[in-house]
Amino acid sequence: MDPSCHNPMAQATATPSPWRGTANLQFAASSQGLTSFQGGSTAPLKLMRAFAGADGRCELPLLHTAGGLVGGDQLKIELGLGANSRALITSVAAQKVYGIKGQWAHIDIETQLGPGADLEWLPQETLVFEGGLLQQQQRLELAENASWLGIDVVRFGRTARGETLGNGCWRSSLEIQRKSASGRRWELVDRLQINRDCLDSAHGLKGQPVLASLVWAAPSPLDSNKLQALVNQGRQDSLELEGEMALGSLQQGLIARYRGPSSQAARHWFYRLWAMIRQLRGLSAPLAPRVWPLQEYPHAPALN
């Protein structure tokens, strides 16, 4: 096309408006121990069919129908779990973040867990394309004996195509507060930022394309011997997997980090930790959600 004939208004007209997707979900436990939910969503978020887990847990997949985020898009998710309710929330596919120069996409998640509530937040990975700008913020307020387990697996650039993050940037903020009879206390404030410099730095990702985190805010202080056994086993289970892994305890829970070339290795390790945490709590062994890719998720050996 002759550049002199290009109509700039045609391009402006064709540019889609940013998405403002929302989901508001409230979970409640029945007298039979089954958890159900009420609420809804707006495009591009869509609620898929929920399933009942072996322990009465409500397993709910979320679908992002737009296929990805671009600059200016905003997703807001509000979750409330009533007393003794149990839920597992995942996503149907990886979250893609495309680059539009100078514009950020935002994901905000607000979560409140009532007494005895138990939430497993297990989305599939996020893929930040070259030039993508994503700021995600997750705020949690937990009752004194509530449990939250969450993962975050992020790949920077389509490495199979030789792509890196370029001028893109990823920012993440995770804030966990717990209520108690004496007031509120911070359990974790975790803020991360990855740009091109951090991606290459020895103090950042050392050139590796994948960063992943797992956090467990336990419902009660853990027996020191059992916690140490879990940490030791988790470190042992990471040895044959590709990448670098670190695992340590929180005041009431644990945190795990992965950096390396393989998002699958990160998920495998997190699946093992998830299985051990379930076992430590006397819960049923986890099963990979039906919407996850078909692949093996090996369990960790039993704790002594």
Side-chain angles (χ1 to χ4, degrees):
M1 178 183 294
D2 184 349
S4 63
C5 298
H6 176 62
N7 181 357
M9 293 304 297
Q11 182 178 3
T13 303
T15 301
S17 300
W19 286 105
R20 300 287 190 270
T22 63
N24 190 314
L25 308 172
Q26 302 295 319
F27 296 82
S30 70
S31 57
Q32 292 77 35
L34 295 175
T35 295
S36 59
F37 78 93
Q38 293 183 331
S41 63
T42 63
L45 292 176
K46 181 178 180 180
L47 308 181
M48 305 301 287
R49 179 184 174 187
F51 300 91
D55 59 355
R57 187 181 303 269
C58 180
E59 298 185 5
L60 177 63
L62 298 179
L63 174 64
H64 185 222
T65 59
L69 293 167
V70 299
D73 286 354
Q74 296 182 12
L75 301 180
K76 185 172 181 59
I77 300 172
E78 296 178 315
L79 307 172
L81 271 70
N84 301 314
S85 60
R86 293 177 174 178
L88 186 160
I89 300 178
T90 187
S91 55
V92 174
Q95 179 66 270
K96 300 178 180 66
V97 182
Y98 302 99
I100 291 183
K101 186 176 180 181
Q103 297 188 56
W104 289 79
H106 295 264
I107 301 175
D108 293 305
I109 305 166
E110 301 275 353
T111 302
Q112 292 192 345
L113 303 186
D118 182 352
L119 175 61
E120 295 173 337
W121 173 260
L122 306 174
Q124 296 193 49
E125 71 183 280
T126 298
L127 173 57
V128 184
F129 282 54
E130 184 172 353
L133 299 170
L134 175 64
Q135 182 164 313
Q136 61 184 40
Q137 185 154 340
Q138 204 163 177
R139 301 183 188 91
L140 297 105
E141 184 180 274
L142 280 59
E144 191 165 10
N145 59 344
S147 174
W148 181 82
L149 179 119
I151 66 171
D152 192 17
V153 181
V154 188
R155 176 176 289 274
F156 301 102
R158 293 172 292 178
T159 49
R161 298 188 178 187
E163 179 183 285
T164 64
L165 187 58
N167 292 322
C169 186
W170 171 84
R171 294 174 181 165
S172 172
S173 174
L174 172 63
E175 301 176 359
I176 303 177
Q177 273 191 324
R178 191 178 293 273
K179 298 184 293 184
S180 66
S182 58
R184 300 169 183 261
R185 70 175 186 270
W186 288 103
E187 292 222 337
L188 181 67
V189 176
D190 189 34
R191 293 192 173 98
L192 300 170
Q193 176 172 298
I194 299 295
N195 55 21
R196 179 163 50 193
D197 292 339
C198 297
L199 196 62
D200 296 333
S201 170
H203 300 290
L205 294 190
K206 295 174 64 176
Q208 297 290 352
V210 177
L211 172 65
S213 303
L214 177 148
V215 173
W216 177 39
S220 60
L222 301 171
D223 176 85
S224 58
N225 292 329
K226 292 182 179 179
L227 177 60
Q228 191 59 51
L230 190 154
V231 170
N232 291 342
Q233 186 63 64
R235 291 170 177 167
Q236 183 67 32
D237 284 345
S238 72
L239 296 179
E240 84 277 12
L241 295 172
E242 190 177 17
E244 297 178 69
M245 282 145 272
L247 176 63
S249 60
L250 299 173
Q251 182 177 353
Q252 190 169 311
L254 59 80
I255 183 168
R257 296 271 202 229
Y258 171 92
R259 72 176 177 188
S262 172
S263 54
Q264 185 181 67
R267 291 195 304 268
H268 280 190
W269 188 43
F270 288 172
Y271 193 96
R272 297 176 184 186
L273 293 174
W274 179 29
M276 287 191 291
I277 290 169
R278 282 276 193 103
Q279 182 183 20
L280 183 65
R281 299 184 62 202
L283 302 177
S284 59
L287 296 174
R290 305 180 189 196
V291 297
W292 282 8
L294 295 175
Q295 55 188 306
E296 271 191 70
Y297 285 82
H299 289 260
L303 291 172
N304 295 325

